[in-house]
Structure formats: structure tokens, C-alpha cells
Amino acid sequence: MRQPITALMRTPAEVQDIHRSAARPDLPFFAAGACHVLAFAFLERYPRAGFQPRFIRPAPGCRGAHVFVSDSQLAFDAQGYVAEAELLRGHALACQQLHPGWAAEVVAIEVPLAAFCAANNHRAPWDFPGDVWAWALAYLSSFPAPPRSVLHARSGEE
């Protein structure tokens, strides 16, 4: 059962203090605050799985930005695999309860992680305390690889 993103968001104190934010358990940390790092770590680990990074960009004045990877059907984020439509629906419902009138656009990320971070006010991996990239790769190990049917379809194998 997926938790609503609002249950995993950083507190104002965690937003201001990266050490406090990074001291959270894996799920909240990679769900809100370092979701972009996890998404790009996924792409490094599974480069032929056919997933692309996507960004939920809230309208100005709204919280709830989120980065995940998707093959247009199946999505992956800190809570694991889910249908992309379900991820987007659940995210929007949770954010609308927090902020009536919440709206966002979902955009493909077509630049490297560092460029995304610079353009969207996200911390680059080297701006976190410790080795957040290694942490993200270790966290990914707690999930199965993308379904074999996805991998085979992308590589042309049957």
C-alpha cells in the first residue's frame, strides 16, 4: 500500500537543514528530498529497462514536486513499482488535500542530473552529506529489478 506523498514530505525544519533531512529513514528521504537522486540511480543501474525520468512540477506557490522514472506504463519511485497513472493520481489527490487548487504539470527530464538540479532548485548528489549516490544504489537493492518482460521488450529479446 502506497503512502500519500504528504505523509513523507519534509518538515520546514528538514527543508532548511540538509543534515536533518538526510537523517530520515530511507523511504521518506528518497520519497521527498532525494527522489531525483533515486530516479537517476535507477537509470544508471537499469540503463536498458526503457525507463525515463519524469518530473511532477507543481504550479507556482504549491509544494509537491516529485521525480520518478517511467516507461509510460510502469513507474518506479521510493515506494516501488506502480502503474504511472496510479502514481500520478495518488500524488495529485494527496497534494490537493494539502493545498486545495493544487496543480502540476508532468514533464520528461531530458538533461543530465546536474543540469536538472541546477535548473530546478534541487540538491545535486554531492550537495548532500555523505555518499547519497551509494545510499540510493543500496536502497534500490531492496527492490526487484524491472520486470523481465520490460527488459526483454526493450532489448528486442523474447
Side-chain angles (χ1 to χ4, degrees), residues 2 30 35 38-40 42-43 46 49-56 66-91 106-107 139-140 143-147 149-150 154:
R2 292 181 66 85
F30 286 115
C35 56
L38 184 65
F40 278 84
F42 180 99
L43 297 172
Y46 304 112
F51 285 72
Q52 300 298 318
R54 298 184 39 93
F55 180 34
I56 301 174
H66 189 54
V67 176
F68 62 97
V69 295
S70 171
D71 68 358
S72 297
Q73 301 281 326
L74 185 66
F76 177 86
D77 70 0
Q79 296 190 64
Y81 296 96
V82 65
E84 182 177 5
E86 182 180 332
L87 183 149
L88 294 173
R89 185 174 38 259
H91 193 90
V106 180
V107 297
Y139 184 63
L140 280 172
F143 296 94
S149 60
V150 172
R154 300 298 178 238

Side-chain angles (χ1 to χ4, degrees), residues 5 58 83:
I5 191 65

